[in-house]
């Protein structure tokens, strides 16, 4: 089992940047594929980005491709989401998740979820 804690959210102006972090504790972090998801008010949770166990493979939602970058540091048990050129439509609660299974780029089938961190982008 793994516990996930997100941080780094906040209020930023459109065009700005934020870096989210997700710290994992519990079972060996490097055995999990990791993902970031978001949920805006009144909308369903949606996939944002994912990264394989070793960090070689990544995938992104079309809406964030070219602006967001997912990475991980297995020595620090942490996954990151660098968000650049933020838009008001990126406003949401962002969740990280861990998948105990083979890497599946855009699946929403994750086993463990964090509590989320709020990102608000003002226009």
């Amino acid at each position: 089992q793994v516990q996930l804690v997100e941080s780094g959210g906040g209020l930023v102006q459109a065009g700005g940047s934020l870096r989210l972090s997700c710290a994992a504790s519990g079972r060996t972090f490097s055995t999990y594929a990791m993902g970031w998801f978001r949920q805006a008010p009144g909308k369903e949770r949606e996939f944002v980005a994912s990264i394989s166990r070793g960090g070689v493979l990544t995938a992104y939602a079309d809406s964030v491709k070219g602006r967001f970058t997912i990475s991980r540091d297995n020595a620090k048990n942490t996954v990151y989401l660098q968000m650049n050129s933020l838009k008001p439509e990126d406003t949401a609660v962002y969740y990280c998740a861990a998948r105990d299974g083979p890497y599946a780029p855009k699946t929403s089938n994750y086993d463990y979820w964090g509590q989320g961190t709020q990102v608000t982008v003002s226009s």
Side-chain angles (χ1 to χ4, degrees), residues 4 13 15 20 25 30 32 37 41 45 49 53-54 58-59 61-62 66 71 82 86 92-93 96 98 110 116 122:
L4 304 171
Q13 288 189 332
L20 305 183
S25 60
S30 60
Y32 295 96
F37 293 77
R45 186 166 57 192
R53 299 169 189 173
T58 59
D62 289 343
S71 61
Q82 177 66 45
L86 282 161
V93 177
C96 73
Y110 281 73
S122 63

Side-chain angles (χ1 to χ4, degrees), residues 35-60:
W36 285 98
F37 293 77
R38 67 186 182 186
Q39 187 168 20
K43 295 187 177 181
E44 292 188 354
R45 186 166 57 192
E46 64 175 359
F47 167 80
V48 175
S50 65
I51 189 166
S52 60
R53 299 169 189 173
V56 174
L57 302 175
T58 59
Y60 298 91

